């Protein structure tokens, strides 16, 4: 792999051990995946920010990096952590909260923005064609497929290294030839809700391995629907992007898959592990809600109040919460909890006594049985709100 003179000096440790380690991570990855050189990135987004998913050992490494005085050199954002300061911090064991705050402090010292969201593209939309080093799989798929930016699915360490060096290896979907579809997916049934878009993602994620699909037959999907599709696709498989607009000349040479309504129906049934109509938690906002989704949810909540025997969490970023102030205040006055900085999957719902979760997110439904040790019911936003709210 070709390195410039300056990159070589960093690699050799002339600028300290911390930069050297970051450079070595990038070079190692580049060599593994056939990169010829490093390319500058517009931004980096780090996942593994929640102490629940990260644990102690990496915290020591991050602390050492911060003590060495390292700083990010590009726009660098953070995925959700495990605590919402208002609604969760005081309800979880003190030792866990303490470790989480420590971790946040370290990241902030390293120069990361306190974004704590899986939708950094709502804060700052990446430029079309820009190279990024993002590590949240749902954001990676959205950036590649909907926004037209270029990013591999980084791991926490490689996104961190890219944030500090400002570069990433030019391999994977950073190369135009690797962004071409390999499979033509013909969706033969109209998708009627965010849940059906998510179910399509899970269904395809399981069978596509890492083959990029060209998905035909989606009828004027909204960006929110595509967000659900991509988040689910990435959680059930290794795909980093999808195409959904026809590329006529390529169709004929592609492997073909047909998706019928029974595939969608069966996937929803498989993701639903409990028939309950009385969940402990109704969770909306995976991935974090857009402004549109908050508006839509607020409109549907209307004047209805949250029932006493259930919690209603609506997760979004601080950025969107600020923009949706009036809606947020109204929903909170009716008993909903608008959580920022976190989500149900990356916090300790089990420690809050939550055993059943109802959600409109296929990604959450896919992960909750293992990451939350909870039973799940996947249902549309409308059904979720009907369950959480008084008539
Ligand atoms: Fe975001 Fe949490 Fe879902 S990090 S994508 S809301 S699992």
């Amino acid at each position: 792999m070709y390195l410039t003179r300056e990159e070589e000096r960093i690699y050799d440790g002339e600028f300290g051990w911390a930069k050297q380690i970051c450079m070595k991570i990038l070079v190692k990855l580049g060599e593994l995946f056939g990169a010829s050189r490093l390319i500058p990135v517009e931004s980096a987004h780090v996942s593994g920010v929640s102490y629940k998913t990260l644990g102690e050992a990496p915290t020591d490494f991050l602390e050492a990096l911060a003590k060495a005085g390292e700083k990010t050199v590009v726009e660098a954002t953070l995925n959700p952590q495990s605590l919402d300061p208002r609604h969760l911090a005081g309800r979880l064991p003190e030792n866990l909260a303490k470790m989480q705050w420590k971790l946040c402090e370290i990241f902030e010292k390293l120069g990361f923005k306190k974004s704590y969201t899986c939708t950094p593209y709502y804060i700052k939309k990446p430029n079309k064609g820009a190279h990024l080093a993002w590590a949240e799989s749902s954001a990676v798929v959205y950036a590649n497929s909907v926004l037209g930016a270029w990013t591999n699915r980084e791991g926490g360490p490689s996104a961190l290294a890219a944030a500090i060096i400002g570069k990433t290896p030019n391999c994977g979907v950073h190369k135009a030839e690797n962004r071409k579809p390999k499979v033509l997916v013909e969706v033969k049934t109209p998708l009627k809700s965010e849940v059906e878009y998510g179910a399509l993602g899970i269904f395809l994620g399981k069978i596509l391995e890492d083959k990029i699909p060209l998905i035909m037959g989606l009828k004027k999907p909204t960006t929110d629907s595509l967000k659900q599709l991509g988040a689910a696709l990435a959680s059930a498989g290794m795909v980093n992007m999808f195409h959904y607009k026809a590329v006529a000349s390529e169709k004929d040479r592609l492997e073909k898959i047909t998706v019928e309504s029974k595939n969608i129906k069966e996937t929803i049934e498989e993701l639903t592990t409990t028939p309950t109509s009385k969940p402990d938690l109704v969770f909306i906002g995976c991935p974090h809600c857009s402004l549109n989704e908050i508006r839509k949810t607020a409109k549907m909540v209307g004047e209805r109040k949250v029932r006493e025997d259930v919690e209603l969490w609506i997760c979004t970023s601080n950025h969107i919460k600020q923009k949706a102030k009036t809606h947020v205040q109204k929903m909170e006055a009716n008993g909903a909890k608008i959580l920022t900085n976190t989500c149900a999957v990356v916090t300790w719902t089990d420690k809050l006594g939550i055993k059943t979760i109802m959600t409109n997110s296929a990604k959450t439904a896919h992960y909750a049985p293992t990451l939350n040790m909870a039973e799940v019911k996947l249902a549309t936003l409308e059904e979720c709100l009907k369950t959480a709210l008084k008539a």
Side-chain angles (χ1 to χ4, degrees), residues 28-83:
K28 188 84 205 154
L29 267 177
E31 283 171 353
L32 268 174
F33 293 102
S36 55
R37 63 191 173 93
L38 295 175
I39 46 172
V41 291
E42 185 179 275
S43 64
H45 180 76
V46 164
S47 64
V49 181
S50 160
Y51 185 64
K52 175 186 162 187
T53 51
L54 191 69
E56 196 146 352
T59 310
D60 296 340
F61 170 66
L62 289 165
E63 193 169 26
L65 274 186
K67 274 192 182 144
E70 283 314 324
K71 290 267 181 218
T72 57
V73 295
V74 289
E75 165 92 10
T77 45
L78 295 167
N79 226 29
Q81 39 104 345
S82 59
L83 303 172

Side-chain angles (χ1 to χ4, degrees), residues 79-80 118 136 138 231 283 285-288 315 342-346 361 363-364 367:
N79 226 29
C118 46
E136 158 58 37
S138 67
F283 167 46
C286 169
H288 276 178
C315 290
T342 191
C343 79
V345 176
V346 301
S361 160
K363 175 173 178 173
T364 292
Y367 281 128

Side-chain angles (χ1 to χ4, degrees), residues 1-46:
M1 192 171 152
Y2 168 79
L3 295 184
T4 63
R5 180 70 197 115
E6 201 200 347
E7 287 163 359
E8 252 174 15
R9 290 174 65 196
I10 298 173
Y11 189 90
D12 291 338
E14 279 186 45
F15 297 92
W17 70 266
K19 271 201 180 62
Q20 182 184 34
I21 261 194
C22 292
M23 182 57 88
K24 286 198 165 178
I25 291 173
L26 298 178
V27 170
K28 188 84 205 154
L29 267 177
E31 283 171 353
L32 268 174
F33 293 102
S36 55
R37 63 191 173 93
L38 295 175
I39 46 172
V41 291
E42 185 179 275
S43 64
H45 180 76
V46 164

